[in-house]
Amino acid sequence: MSARPSGNAAASADPFYVFKDELEGKVTAVHQQYAKWKSVLDAQDSASAKDLPALTTQIETSVAAAEKSLKFLEQTIVVVEANRAKFEHIDNAEISSRKAFVSSTRMELLSVSSELQSDAVKTRIRREEQKMLKPLSQRPTQPTLPKEDSNARFLGDELQRQQQIQKEQDQGLEELSKSAANLNHIAVEINSEIKSQNHMLDEMSTDVDEAHERMNFVMEKMSDLLKTKDKCQLGLILFLSFVLVVMIFLVIYT
């Protein structure tokens, strides 16, 4: 690792050291993540192994970010070498030290990336991903705890009770529907009977009106006949009276 030069180089706010500080922070994060990833990879605990795919992705992202900063750092060296007159305070030894730092850092990142991309690691990660994607029905079942049995029994009883209530409600609705149908049938019969009675009343009213007209006619004739003492006319009056009685009888009893 190169040391910061003193004097003019430090005072010039050299961009190399700006990128170098940033890169060192990213490389440190990569090493920390790699240590955690390595412990999970080597562990036999299947519970922690499920975190392996996520940790791998996290390290790959961190390595990519570090490599990007490394390219910027390397570019500062190229600029210095191309403009020696402008950066005459940076000697050849400093440039060599910077190149050595870039090279060693690249090797560190490459070592981590190579292990992440190895066939053994890819196979292990693929196996863990398949375990996570396996349907619940195919996963080994855990022994049921007594509390879970109690909860399941309670839910089963509650479901049966709700089904029984629903069944009783359905029966009540069915009986209510039958009663409504019977009431409708009775209402139809009553309506038919009322219509029949109304028709009979209309016919009777018509007959009464006709009899009333006939009686008026007879009464007028009788009034005319009563004005005379002729026997023939009196006989006719009696006959008409008899007819009147018969008509009244027919009107009342037919």
Side-chain angles (χ1 to χ4, degrees):
M1 182 179 296
S2 63
R4 291 177 182 268
S6 59
N8 294 333
S12 62
D14 193 338
F16 174 84
Y17 290 100
V18 175
F19 287 112
K20 181 174 180 292
D21 291 340
E22 178 183 344
L23 176 61
E24 286 178 337
K26 292 181 179 180
V27 172
T28 300
V30 169
H31 286 311
Q32 292 174 349
Q33 294 169 1
Y34 174 78
K36 182 178 180 180
W37 175 85
K38 187 67 173 176
S39 64
V40 173
L41 181 67
D42 296 338
Q44 300 299 324
D45 184 9
S46 59
S48 60
K50 63 182 178 60
D51 297 330
L52 192 62
L55 290 174
T56 303
T57 302
Q58 184 180 17
I59 296 176
E60 290 175 344
T61 302
S62 298
V63 169
E67 289 177 343
K68 186 176 182 180
S69 295
L70 185 63
K71 289 181 180 179
F72 287 132
L73 190 65
E74 189 174 22
Q75 188 64 30
T76 62
I77 299 175
V78 174
V79 171
V80 169
E81 288 183 322
N83 298 274
R84 296 294 292 149
K86 185 177 180 179
F87 300 99
E88 58 183 9
H89 58 281
I90 302 177
D91 55 20
N92 293 333
E94 174 64 19
I95 293 177
S96 298
S97 176
R98 295 182 180 187
K99 288 183 177 180
F101 174 77
V102 170
S103 178
S104 63
T105 303
R106 178 175 286 111
M107 292 302 296
E108 291 179 24
L109 297 176
L110 182 60
S111 175
V112 174
S113 297
S114 298
E115 187 169 1
L116 294 177
Q117 298 300 323
S118 66
D119 293 338
V121 171
K122 288 182 178 180
T123 302
R124 177 71 180 280
I125 292 175
R126 191 179 303 112
R127 185 166 62 250
E128 296 301 331
E129 289 176 341
Q130 290 175 350
K131 289 180 181 179
M132 295 174 63
L133 295 175
K134 184 182 295 184
L136 293 175
S137 59
Q138 298 180 7
R139 296 183 184 179
T141 57
Q142 299 294 332
T144 305
L145 299 177
K147 184 177 180 180
E148 294 177 350
D149 285 340
S150 177
N151 291 338
R153 190 180 304 110
F154 171 77
L155 291 176
D157 294 341
E158 184 66 18
L159 179 60
Q160 291 180 356
R161 189 176 71 86
Q162 293 295 332
Q163 290 176 345
Q164 180 64 27
I165 293 174
Q166 183 67 33
K167 183 178 180 180
E168 293 176 356
Q169 290 177 346
D170 292 341
Q171 292 176 350
L173 290 175
E174 185 177 356
E175 293 177 358
L176 182 61
S177 178
K178 291 180 179 179
S179 299
N182 292 334
L183 290 174
N184 181 66
H185 179 69
I186 294 173
V188 171
E189 291 183 351
I190 292 175
N191 184 55
S192 299
E193 184 66 22
I194 290 174
K195 288 182 178 179
S196 177
Q197 294 293 335
N198 288 335
H199 181 68
M200 293 176 62
L201 290 174
D202 291 339
E203 291 181 348
M204 182 178 292
S205 177
T206 301
D207 292 339
V208 170
D209 290 340
E210 292 178 354
H212 183 68
E213 291 179 358
R214 292 174 183 175
M215 288 177 63
N216 289 336
F217 175 76
V218 172
M219 292 300 295
E220 289 177 359
K221 294 299 182 181
M222 288 181 64
S223 177
D224 293 338
L225 291 174
L226 288 174
K227 295 178 180 180
T228 179
K229 294 181 179 180
D230 187 87
K231 292 182 178 180
C232 293
Q233 291 180 348
L234 291 175
L236 181 60
I237 291 172
L238 293 175
F239 176 76
L240 291 175
S241 298
F242 175 77
V243 172
L244 176 61
V245 172
V246 172
M247 290 179 61
I248 293 173
F249 178 84
L250 292 175
V251 169
I252 294 175
Y253 294 100
T254 59

